[in-house]
């Protein structure tokens, strides 16, 4: 069934939104394959976002682990992470659907920024909903978004965090969908969002496949990606799903410990349930109440896992794993010292998993880590961890 990945996914929303989502699905299926759209999207990816991103052979990380490690350098995408791939795609789609405005929500501000950038490039008004608590915590990204001309609207409902902002954005969309597109930031939400986001992010895996074949003449033994909603992971994995010899690892935030009040490891601690319009793996208590997830990496701090990743983990095609905060900070340092690169805390989860799970990899195996973003945004947290904690 369309919009379903096994039992996951679907469209658990109000009657009003069903119609809006159907319109979006129809428009995406009609517009995306056209040569005009493809040409404009890939032109922007090349000349604005900075694609293709390099596949970098990490010689010193390889020596340290006895593996052959490549890094897919999404940190070099404009804005510092993979997020712009999807934002550019959806902004272009919205423009071609005749919308004049995009709305979205953001927690750490990284997705809000990429949406503001994409909106400006394409020529759309941008409004970002953000929990009041998150606005305080991420004041510098609020300034950046405002400098780009985006309207940042504080969300005071609920506890003033991401999940409340998502609910508010869905409500706003139901009222304004004639002129407005909701630019979903990860491979989550009601159908067709997970499919749209995965499609735009698949550029990562398509490039990676060409590059590794060129360098090594064969496919990798494993691809490792971090995630919460799962957009960078599904983007890297998609072109390899039917290559059963390529192992796929999805690494989530272990937090401080697996104690459910201190973690974001939804594949260990959660179970399937409905959140923000889709059935997916979520952190929840016995009564089905969403449990707040907890990790030092803001980008992994969402209680749900996208429906396709939920399905692929359930069927065993993708192996879920997690990394604890302390392993993540150590991985940042190791990567900085070995390779001169400071990964985002999110990205460092994937690196930490490879460094700390030698039992998963045979000596000399070809392992690609999706290097989803750079760590400049996390510098204060990294310094606090090493020099104050
Ligand atoms: C937002 C973010 C993530 C998590 O998002 P996914 O949709 O799960 O990929 C991972 N890495 C970085 C650098 C991010 O900014």
């Amino acid at each position: 069934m369309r919009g379903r990945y096994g039992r996951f996914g679907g469209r658990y929303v109000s009657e009003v939104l069903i119609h809006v989502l159907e319109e979006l699905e129809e428009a995406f299926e009609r517009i995306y394959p056209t040569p005009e759209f493809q040409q404009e999207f890939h032109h922007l990816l090349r000349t604005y976002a900075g694609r293709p991103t390099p596949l970098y052979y990490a010689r010193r990380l390889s020596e340290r682990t006895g593996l052959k490690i490549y890094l897919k350098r999404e940190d070099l995408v404009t804005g510092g992470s993979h997020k712009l791939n999807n934002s550019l795609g959806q902004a272009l789609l919205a423009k071609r659907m005749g919308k004049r405005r995009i709305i979205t929500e953001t927690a750490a501000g990284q997705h809000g920024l990429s949406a503001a950038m994409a909106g400006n490039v394409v020529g759309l008004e941008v409004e970002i909903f953000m929990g009041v608590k998150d606005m305080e915590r991420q004041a510098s990204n609020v300034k950046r978004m405002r400098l780009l001309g985006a309207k940042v609207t504080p969300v005071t409902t609920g506890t003033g965090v991401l999940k409340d902002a998502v609910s508010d954005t869905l409500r706003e969309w139901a009222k304004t969908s004639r002129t407005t597109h909701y630019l979903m930031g990860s491979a989550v939400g009601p159908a067709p969002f997970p499919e749209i986001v995965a499609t735009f992010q698949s550029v990562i895996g398509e490039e990676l496949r060409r590059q590794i074949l060129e360098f090594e003449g064969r496919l990798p033994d494993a691809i490792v990606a971090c995630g919460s909603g799962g957009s960078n992971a599904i983007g890297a994995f998609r072109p390899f799903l039917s290559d059963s010899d390529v192992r796929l690892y999805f690494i989530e935030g272990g937090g401080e410990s697996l104690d459910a009040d201190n973690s974001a490891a939804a594949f260990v601690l959660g179970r399937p349930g409905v959140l923000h319009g889709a059935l997916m793996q979520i952190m929840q208590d016995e009564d089905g109440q969403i449990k707040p997830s907890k990790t030092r990496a803001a980008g992994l701090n969402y209680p749900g896992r996208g429906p396709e990743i939920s399905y692929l983990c359930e069927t065993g095609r993708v192996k879920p794993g997690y990394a604890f905060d302390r392993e993540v900070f150590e991985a940042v340092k190791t990567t900085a010292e070995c390779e001169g690169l400071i990964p985002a805390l999110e990205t460092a989860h994937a690196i930490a998993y490879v460094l700390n799970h030698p039992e998963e990899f045979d000596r000399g195996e070809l392992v690609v880590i999706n290097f989803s973003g750079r760590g400049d945004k996390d510098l204060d947290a990294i310094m606090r961890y090493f020099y104050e904690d």
Side-chain angles (χ1 to χ4, degrees), residues 81-83 110 186 226-233 299-300 344 346-347 372-373:
S81 82
H82 67 287
K83 288 196 167 68
Q110 295 300 111
S186 188
C226 70
S228 57
S231 71
N232 88 86
L300 299 190
E346 294 83 1
T347 310
S372 60

